[in-house]
């Protein structure tokens, strides 16, 4: 190719990129989520799994004016409710299912909601919801920032929509090479127990603080000698580490492959040439080698006397969705790391999830990585580079995919738009639907992608997505592809409004889908 042609192609590519960002930049944030009513409304998961003997903590998530009082009829023996906070605590001795009627009451009225407690082997019966420190703070995380995040979850009202976990990612341990003095120190005590760095002086105290707010707390390590960021990993100390996390009171644990790549490829743990972040080669295709460290840690976590959600993180190598459940994983990353661009979010969401969909179910979820709305930036937070419509796409798609929902932003910098994205209870209810059926792509036509999933109440949630930089106008008629027949009432989930019923045999549905945006409907058969 001669230089002139190459130059013209480069200019053309730059022009296309510019057109893309002009289209992207021109839309101001616009809020669709209606404010929650002043009367009580119980939100969040309607099913909760716990193992026999494990400490039980479930906070009833409810919006509406405070003060509010809570009730729970038919609570099984061993559990008690604090009527002022809505926290249910205690323990269940035996396996079994219990249908409880939750209640919430304030000066504006009262409401009830059926809630199913399943005491058995499985936990995380709906995808975990919460926050994780990585996408905003990365190596700058500290106990103070984690406490601040927990406080915001409560004060912003997010906890009233079911957001529960406050997860510390990498950099709570000491580091192998950083020149930051707060990351210097022994990795383990003389008995081999892991030591947190100076920014985390009291792990048990931190966990107690978060539990005291009715929330749960998560931690992070790697099966290799080093985490991706070069902090102390768990290699050779797996059992001790599982015991330590349980002793401190952690409820969630992300185990991130990273330097295990070197071990898996045959290097000794003491070999200094093991890179912290190199995933290596063997784990990409050798299933036995890839599963080994997760099976080991899964077993040690299960031996603890508390329920610890196990998040397997190895970027989707060796088709983790096929074996994640067999190592007791409650969720597993299906992809490399997300960043806050349309290219990253849309290719992860649209191009990499379909093959994994059949393996997702209550207790075992595909994880397309954390959310990139709000102020993100891996130590240098900036407002997300996703446009408002791209953010609607991100949240809608992740909810359709039954993804664990982990907010990745600096929550002390919340704005009204970001909060509105994270507090739409009808959209969140798709993610948290107890049936746990991940949506699949039912139409892939040009720039149109349509995802559909069954919901427990017999309805179907459908997301119509537009991957182009121009708005899309459709007169939609292909209802059989959505699995819909007869007369259907569409409900716009973002606006929380019913639309006129449509006869799927001869009618059509007018749709305007914004550039890189979505229309998210729930279809209910008219009886
Ligand atoms: C990997 C993971 C990220 C994060 C970092 C921490 O890149 O995929 O989610 O945990 O490591 O170093």
């Amino acid at each position: 190719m001669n230089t002139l042609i190459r130059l013209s192609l480069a200019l053309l590519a730059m022009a296309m990129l510019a057109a893309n960002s002009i289209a992207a930049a021109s839309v101001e944030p616009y809020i669709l989520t209606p404010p929650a009513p002043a009367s009580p409304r119980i939100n969040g998961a309607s099913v909760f799994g716990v193992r026999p003997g494990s400490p039980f903590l479930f906070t009833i998530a409810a919006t509406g004016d405070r003060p509010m009082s809570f009730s729970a009829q038919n609570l099984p023996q061993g559990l008690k409710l604090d009527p002022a906070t809505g926290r249910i605590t205690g323990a269940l001795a035996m396996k079994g299912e219990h249908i409880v009627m939750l209640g919430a009451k304030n000066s504006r009225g009262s409401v009830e909601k059926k809630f199913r407690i399943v005491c058995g082997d499985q936990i995380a019966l709906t995808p975990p919801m919460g926050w994780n420190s990585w996408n905003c703070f990365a190596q700058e995380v500290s106990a103070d920032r984690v406490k601040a995040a927990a406080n915001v979850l409560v004060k912003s009202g997010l906890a009233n929509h079911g957001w529960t976990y406050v997860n510390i990612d990498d950099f709570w341990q000491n580091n192998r090479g950083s020149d930051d003095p707060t990351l210097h120190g022994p990795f383990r005590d003389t008995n081999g127990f892991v030591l947190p760095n100076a920014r985390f002086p009291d792990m048990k105290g931190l966990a107690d603080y978060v539990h005291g707010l009715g929330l749960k707390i998560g931690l992070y390590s790697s099966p290799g000698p080093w985490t991706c960021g070069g902090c102390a990993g768990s290699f050779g100390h797996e059992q001790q580490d599982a015991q330590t996390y349980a002793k401190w009171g952690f409820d969630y644990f992300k185990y991130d492959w990273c330097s295990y790549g070197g071990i898996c490829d045959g290097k000794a743990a003491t070999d200094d040439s093991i890179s912290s972040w190199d995933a290596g080669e063997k784990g990409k295709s050798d299933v036995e080698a890839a599963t080994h460290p997760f099976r080991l840690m899964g077993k040690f976590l299960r031996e603890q006397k508390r329920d610890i959600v196990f998040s397997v993180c190895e970027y989707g190598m060796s088709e983790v969705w096929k074996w994640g459940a067999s190592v007791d994983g409650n969720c597993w990353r299906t992809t490399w790391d997300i960043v806050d661009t349309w290219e990253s979010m849309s290719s992860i969401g649209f191009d990499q999830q379909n093959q994994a969909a059949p393996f997702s179910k209550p207790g075992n979820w595909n994880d397309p990585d954390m959310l990139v709305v709000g102020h993100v930036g891996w130590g240098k937070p900036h407002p997300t580079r996703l446009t408002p419509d791209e953010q609607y796409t991100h949240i809608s798609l992740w909810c359709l995919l039954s993804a664990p929902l982990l907010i990745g932003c600096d929550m002390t910098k919340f704005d009204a738009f970001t909060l509105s994205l994270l507090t739409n209870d009808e959209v969140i209810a798709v993610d948290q639907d107890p049936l746990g059926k991940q949506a699949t792509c039912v139409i892939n036509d040009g720039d149109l992608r349509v995802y559909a999933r069954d919901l427990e109440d017999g309805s179907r949630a459908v997301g119509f997505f537009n991957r182009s930089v121009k708005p899309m106008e459709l007169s939609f008629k292909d209802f059989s592809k959505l699995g819909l027949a007869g007369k259907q009432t569409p409900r716009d989930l973002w606006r929380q409004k019913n639309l006129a019923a449509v006869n799927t045999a001869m009618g059509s549905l007018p749709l305007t889908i914004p550039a890189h945006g979505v229309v998210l409907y729930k279809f209910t058969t008219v009886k």
Side-chain angles (χ1 to χ4, degrees):
M1 204 187 309
N2 76 34
T3 320
L4 203 64
I5 298 178
R6 232 181 287 153
L7 190 69
S8 328
L9 282 177
L11 284 173
L12 186 70
M14 275 164 69
M16 282 166 71
L17 232 99
N20 197 338
S21 44
I22 287 164
S26 59
V27 181
E28 288 298 313
Y30 61 100
I31 292 178
L32 296 179
T33 304
S39 55
R41 189 171 68 196
I42 300 181
N43 306 307
S46 58
V47 60
F48 182 73
V50 66
R51 297 194 179 111
S54 297
F56 192 102
L57 174 60
F58 180 87
T59 304
I60 303 173
T63 45
D65 284 356
R66 265 41 184 190
M68 189 177 282
S69 66
F70 296 91
S71 59
Q73 279 171 44
N74 298 330
L75 213 52
Q77 206 189 351
L79 299 186
K80 65 174 194 311
L81 166 82
D82 176 348
T85 59
R87 280 174 219 161
I88 304 174
T89 54
L92 292 173
M94 312 255 283
K95 287 189 175 180
E97 267 194 48
H98 310 273
I99 305 291
V100 176
M101 190 58 86
L102 303 179
K105 196 172 166 186
N106 67 8
S107 61
R108 305 302 190 100
S110 62
V111 72
E112 290 195 322
K113 183 177 168 185
K114 235 193 224 172
F115 180 60
R116 192 156 52 93
I117 297 173
V118 185
C119 184
D121 287 330
Q122 281 289 28
I123 57 171
L125 296 183
T126 61
M129 287 174 67
W131 173 85
N132 172 293
S133 61
W134 184 251
N135 288 355
C136 48
F137 298 133
Q139 71 277 8
E140 304 297 334
V141 69
S142 66
D144 289 342
R145 286 189 148 148
V146 172
K147 274 188 191 170
N151 290 339
V152 181
L153 269 193
V154 175
K155 285 203 184 120
S156 66
L158 275 182
N160 298 338
H161 300 270
W163 299 93
T164 304
Y165 289 93
V166 180
N167 291 353
I168 308 166
D169 208 273
D170 206 351
F171 285 89
W172 62 268
Q173 322 88 321
N174 280 312
N175 193 276
R176 76 193 288 201
S178 164
D179 47 20
D180 181 334
T182 62
L183 299 174
H184 288 174
F187 300 122
R188 297 186 173 269
D189 70 13
T190 46
N191 295 317
F193 287 96
V194 66
L195 292 168
N197 64 41
R199 301 171 188 173
F200 290 88
D202 179 9
M203 289 301 247
K204 167 96 173 60
L206 181 59
D208 289 347
Y209 181 88
V210 172
H211 291 147
L213 296 172
L215 303 171
K216 298 188 175 181
I217 185 161
L219 203 58
Y220 166 99
S221 186
S222 168
W226 309 108
T227 65
C228 302
C231 297
S234 294
F235 184 77
H237 296 274
E238 294 82 358
Q239 185 170 27
Q240 280 179 310
D241 283 2
Q243 288 166 348
T244 303
Y245 310 145
K247 191 180 78 188
W248 286 339
F250 279 83
D251 309 292
Y252 190 109
F253 178 65
K254 172 175 168 184
Y255 208 33
D256 190 357
W257 177 266
C258 270
S259 67
Y260 191 81
I263 302 284
C264 195
D265 286 355
K267 288 191 177 168
T270 46
D271 184 339
D272 250 5
S273 74
I274 288 195
S275 130
S276 299
W277 47 265
D278 184 359
E281 284 309 315
K282 203 168 168 197
K284 289 182 183 157
S285 51
D286 183 334
V287 176
E288 198 39 50
T291 53
H292 171 75
F294 295 103
R295 193 182 303 285
L296 191 67
M297 189 51 113
K299 170 176 166 294
F300 291 135
L301 290 172
R302 281 296 297 267
E303 284 169 10
Q304 307 311 310
K305 289 192 170 45
R306 62 183 298 117
D307 292 347
I308 302 176
V309 171
F310 186 27
S311 162
V312 169
C313 178
E314 47 82 276
Y315 336 116
M317 296 186 304
S318 62
E319 301 182 304
V320 60
W321 42 91
K322 294 192 174 161
W323 54 262
S326 75
V327 298
D328 277 329
N330 296 113
C331 44
W332 44 81
R333 276 269 295 278
T334 51
T335 160
W336 299 94
D337 294 18
I338 195 168
V339 292
D340 57 321
T341 63
W342 169 252
E343 289 69 27
S344 168
M345 186 276 289
S346 65
S347 80
I348 289 176
F350 292 121
D351 302 333
Q352 299 173 37
Q353 305 307 317
N354 239 17
Q355 53 187 340
F359 300 91
S360 166
K361 60 183 186 302
N364 309 108
W365 309 103
N366 291 311
D367 176 3
D369 206 359
M370 301 175 285
L371 302 176
V372 282
V373 300
H375 272 74
V376 292
W378 298 269
K380 293 195 177 62
H382 58 257
T384 179
R385 289 171 287 171
L386 296 182
T387 68
D389 283 310
E390 291 168 356
Q391 295 180 63
Y392 279 116
T393 289
H394 184 22
I395 302 295
S396 306
L397 186 54
W398 263 233
C399 287
L400 282 162
L401 296 174
S402 309
L405 297 178
L406 291 175
I407 298 168
C409 68
D410 179 351
M411 296 194 293
T412 63
K413 296 203 170 89
F414 264 146
D415 54 75
F417 175 69
T418 310
L419 264 175
S420 79
L421 288 171
L422 301 171
T423 52
N424 192 312
D425 298 300
E426 296 198 18
V427 174
I428 294 172
V430 173
D431 183 72
Q432 295 293 301
D433 188 73
L435 204 57
K437 276 250 172 227
Q438 176 173 333
T440 51
C441 183
V442 291
I443 298 177
N444 178 349
D445 182 7
D447 288 321
L448 176 70
R449 295 286 181 287
V450 184
Y451 281 71
R453 65 180 278 181
D454 286 331
L455 299 176
E456 195 193 37
D457 66 1
S459 63
R460 255 167 102 69
V462 180
F464 301 88
F465 296 91
N466 173 8
R467 290 187 77 166
S468 90
V469 291
K470 294 209 181 89
M472 194 183 268
E473 302 276 346
L474 290 179
S475 174
F476 187 85
K477 294 194 181 73
D478 256 347
F479 294 101
S480 63
K481 289 202 177 132
L482 309 184
L484 296 174
K487 206 170 172 192
Q488 295 284 331
T489 301
R491 182 167 175 81
D492 182 326
L493 293 182
W494 279 106
R495 293 178 175 82
Q496 303 185 356
K497 267 200 186 125
N498 280 357
L499 306 171
V502 54
N503 184 339
T504 59
M506 48 224 211
S508 65
L509 192 63
L511 292 174
T512 303
I513 320 175
H516 287 182
V518 60
V519 167
L520 181 64
Y521 286 169
K522 168 169 158 165
F523 289 90
T524 307
T525 307
V526 180
K527 297 234 165 81

